[in-house]
């Protein structure tokens, strides 16, 4: 099988993680794009800046580029989804990337452009929307429902039947107890233990998780 050319949008460390997770026999990274004038994360792959440059670059390619990955991490699910829509509008596919050490149950469903990274697990009957990141060693247990644009940070643990609404962000090593609902755009701080539902657009930290105290 010949590796297909693929572009990565987003030129930070997450791009390196994505490239590492891609199957080398399937995908060959030919360019990185970003909105900012930054240095390419790869010595052997050029970085180009901006959406206008992207359109002209696509037209200039002699070999058709058919796929892209969005490498925007952090809590910016909206940017991840907007960028995914931009790339789709240029006719690109957004393959689901599953690291060779990642686990996805046969009964789980995963939307376009999701990334399941090294040693992460998506368990039985879990449902992931599109452009979801399940980062290194995170776990999404049975029957969880994860909305579009959600990022589950490294080592975070979601018990069974957890609902995470769109664009929410679960920080490194957080734990969410079974059947808890995390509202859209909520931020769960690193290491938090979430025992109750979290309203939309709310940040919580600590054990048990609570909003930060304003000083
Ligand atoms: C591969 C990767 O790296 S993927 C990236 C994953 N990233 C993460 O998991 C980061 C998650 N982010 C966090 O936990 C953040 O600290 C947030 C979102 C909870 C808060 O961020 P900010 O609003 O910028 O808070 P800030 O850093 O100013 O800290 C405010 C106070 O809260 C405390 N605090 C911050 N985060 C936490 C936390 N997770 N748990 C407990 N206390 C915290 C700080 O110590 C500080 O306390 P102080 O006022 O007594 O000094």
């Amino acid at each position: 099988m010949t590796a297909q050319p693929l572009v990565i949008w987003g030129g930070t460390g997450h791009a390196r993680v994505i490239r590492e997770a891609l199957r080398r026999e399937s995908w060959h990274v030919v360019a990185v794009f970003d909105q900012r004038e930054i240095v390419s994360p790869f010595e052997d792959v050029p970085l180009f800046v901006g959406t206008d440059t992207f359109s002209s670059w696509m037209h200039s390619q002699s070999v058709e580029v058919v796929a892209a990955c969005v490498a925007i991490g952090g809590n910016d699910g909206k940017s991840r989804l907007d960028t995914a829509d931009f790339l789709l509008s240029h006719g690109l596919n957004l393959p689901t990337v599953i690291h060779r050490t990642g686990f996805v149950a046969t009964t789980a469903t995963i939307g376009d452009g999701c990334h399941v990274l090294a040693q992460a697990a998506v368990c039985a009957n879990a449902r992931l929307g599109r452009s979801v990141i399940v980062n290194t060693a995170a776990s999404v247990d049975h029957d969880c429902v994860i909305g579009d644009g959600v990022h589950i940070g490294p080592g975070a643990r979601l018990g069974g039947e957890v609902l995470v609404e769109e664009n929410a962000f679960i920080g490194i090593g957080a734990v969410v107890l079974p059947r808890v609902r995390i509202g859209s755009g909520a931020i769960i701080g690193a290491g938090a233990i979430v025992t109750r539902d979290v309203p939309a657009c709310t940040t919580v930290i600590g054990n048990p998780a609570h909003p930060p105290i304003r000083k």
Side-chain angles (χ1 to χ4, degrees), residues 135 151 154 169 171-172 187 189-190 205 215:
N135 217 318
H151 179 179
F169 171 60
I172 298 172
I187 295 177
I205 59 171
K215 293 174 183 165

Side-chain angles (χ1 to χ4, degrees), residues 22-199:
L22 288 165
R23 308 277 158 131
R24 302 249 162 135
E25 66 278 16
S26 303
W27 303 111
H28 169 53
V29 179
V30 292
V32 179
F33 285 84
D34 203 292
Q35 292 290 23
R36 300 154 299 173
E37 302 235 8
I38 56 175
V39 175
S40 174
F42 310 115
E43 284 183 0
D44 58 340
V45 182
L47 181 139
F48 302 97
V49 179
T51 49
D52 292 345
T53 308
F54 178 79
S55 301
S56 51
W57 180 88
M58 283 288 285
H59 286 116
S60 71
Q61 296 306 297
S62 52
V63 177
E64 191 185 10
V65 178
V66 294
C69 284
V70 181
I72 298 174
N75 62 0
D76 202 355
K78 183 169 184 323
S79 288
R80 199 156 51 250
L81 289 169
D82 289 348
T83 304
D85 287 341
F86 170 78
L87 295 166
L88 288 168
S89 75
H90 281 74
L92 293 171
N93 299 313
L94 301 176
T96 293
V97 177
I98 301 169
H99 190 273
R100 65 188 178 283
T101 64
F103 167 73
V104 176
T106 53
T107 52
T109 55
I110 300 198
D112 289 343
C114 287
H115 301 153
V116 178
L117 299 175
Q119 300 187 341
V122 178
C123 299
N125 224 31
R127 282 186 279 147
L128 272 53
R130 63 191 189 99
S131 296
V132 170
I133 302 170
V134 184
N135 217 318
T136 313
S139 63
V140 175
D141 225 294
H142 67 87
D143 299 293
C144 284
V145 178
I146 311 298
D148 296 345
V150 166
H151 179 179
I152 300 168
R157 303 285 188 203
L158 272 52
E161 299 178 39
V162 165
L163 170 61
V164 185
E165 294 179 344
E166 67 275 6
N167 296 340
F169 171 60
I170 316 284
I172 298 172
V175 171
V176 183
L177 296 196
R179 293 176 292 285
V180 164
R181 179 189 195 112
I182 309 288
S184 125
I187 295 177
I188 310 303
I193 310 288
V194 184
T195 57
R196 295 185 183 166
D197 292 357
V198 177

